Amino acid sequence: MTALALPVTEPRARFLDLVSAEWWKLWSLRSTGWSLLVAALSVIGFNAGQAWDHYRYWNAYDEGSRVAFVRDGMALWDAFNGNAVLVMMLAAAGIGAMAIAGEYSSGSIRTTFAAVPARRSVMTAKVLVTALVLAGFGAVVATVSFWATQAILSVHGAGLPITHPGALRIVVASALLAPVSGLVGMAFGTVLRSGPAAIVASVVVLLLLPAVTSEKRYWSAVLAHVQLQPAWERLIQTGDWPAPFPWTTGGAWLVYGAWALGAALVTVLAVRRRDQ
């Protein structure tokens, strides 16, 4: 008698296995490490450069200006400036976009979905890994930037500790800007399936739209208050900042959360009913 061959059912991939696979897949790209390093040095350099400028010309300011700089905690503005934020958002969005668009352009996404038909689980693992990597990147860059800028200004007694009111909020808000921007880039990469197109879309949505909105008109202010960069600008504000249409830091944190959640949902759900 010949034995009947029983069908072999392969075990379903565990989510931790998917996360591990996506982790190694991301770091196997040589561009990932270099992109993070160059972006980190650029962001820290912009911040430290502004602090150095204030340090270098400190004695050129009049006594009243120096007193006001210390009294008003202006050193916090050097901890993370607007130019550094633009670089961080662009770099993070680019890394997030290429994390998925690169697989579409190479065709390796077909192999991934063939090996693990549960597309939603695969994309969730991608979102988690990308968010964790960029959160770590943001935390390091924001912390080093704060430490470096305040150390430079402390030579003239103008540096501030992390316990100063508003200082920790600036560091956290700046650090979280990286993973949120990265998720936005990943969402565009999933929908557009092209790295360059996703990066262009990220630049338009994250950087250009805030530039054309204003706090001076109601509807323009409403549009500004739902965008990521203006939310960061609200979170780094300290003291009383009168505006025609003011909003709270709580509202700004909600904008952060909404962009992160919305981008993650788009990334996970966009592949459910689309071919590879």
Side-chain angles (χ1 to χ4, degrees):
M1 297 180 62
T2 59
L4 295 176
L6 297 177
V8 178
T9 303
E10 296 201 9
R12 184 177 181 180
R14 297 177 302 176
F15 184 70
L16 288 180
D17 295 331
L18 296 179
V19 171
S20 178
E22 293 302 328
W23 176 272
W24 289 112
K25 189 185 299 182
L26 181 65
W27 287 108
S28 66
L29 298 174
R30 187 177 302 177
S31 60
T32 299
W34 282 110
S35 298
L36 291 173
L37 178 60
V38 171
L41 293 177
S42 300
V43 172
I44 295 171
F46 271 113
N47 292 321
Q50 182 165 301
W52 175 260
D53 185 73
H54 283 141
Y55 161 80
R56 183 180 179 182
Y57 294 102
W58 183 257
N59 292 325
Y61 303 138
D62 59 70
E63 181 66 23
S65 297
R66 294 196 295 267
V67 171
F69 188 95
V70 176
R71 181 193 64 223
D72 298 336
M74 296 301 294
L76 294 181
W77 287 90
D78 288 352
F80 223 94
N81 63 65
N83 291 331
V85 162
L86 295 181
V87 173
M88 172 180 273
M89 294 180 72
L90 180 58
I95 292 171
M98 295 309 300
I100 179 63
E103 288 198 60
Y104 277 111
S105 62
S106 67
S108 61
I109 193 70
R110 296 185 178 89
T111 304
T112 299
F113 287 154
V116 184
R119 298 183 181 185
R120 185 164 55 185
S121 297
V122 172
M123 299 307 289
T124 301
K126 287 181 181 293
V127 166
L128 181 59
V129 168
T130 302
L132 287 176
V133 169
L134 290 176
F137 163 76
V140 171
V141 170
T143 301
V144 172
S145 290
F146 183 85
W147 174 83
T149 55
Q150 302 314 301
I152 292 171
L153 294 171
S154 291
V155 175
H156 291 301
L160 297 173
I162 193 65
T163 54
H164 186 85
L168 182 60
R169 187 176 71 237
I170 290 174
V171 173
V172 174
S174 301
L176 291 179
L177 204 57
V180 179
S181 299
L183 290 178
V184 172
M186 177 172 274
F188 280 123
T190 304
V191 173
L192 300 176
R193 304 186 180 190
S194 167
I199 292 174
V200 170
S202 298
V203 171
V204 171
V205 171
L206 295 177
L207 304 183
L208 296 186
L209 282 183
V212 300
T213 56
S214 170
E215 294 281 349
K216 297 180 180 180
R217 298 290 185 270
Y218 175 75
W219 287 111
S220 181
V222 170
L223 180 60
H225 293 174
V226 297
Q227 296 182 73
L228 193 56
Q229 186 183 348
W232 171 81
E233 293 174 351
R234 176 62 186 89
L235 290 170
I236 69 167
Q237 293 176 0
T238 57
D240 296 327
W241 288 83
F245 306 101
W247 57 320
T248 65
T249 56
W253 285 122
L254 285 176
V255 171
Y256 265 51
W259 276 88
L261 179 60
L265 287 175
V266 169
T267 301
V268 172
L269 300 178
V271 298
R272 289 292 294 162
R273 297 187 179 278
R274 298 180 66 185
D275 58 5
Q276 292 92 304

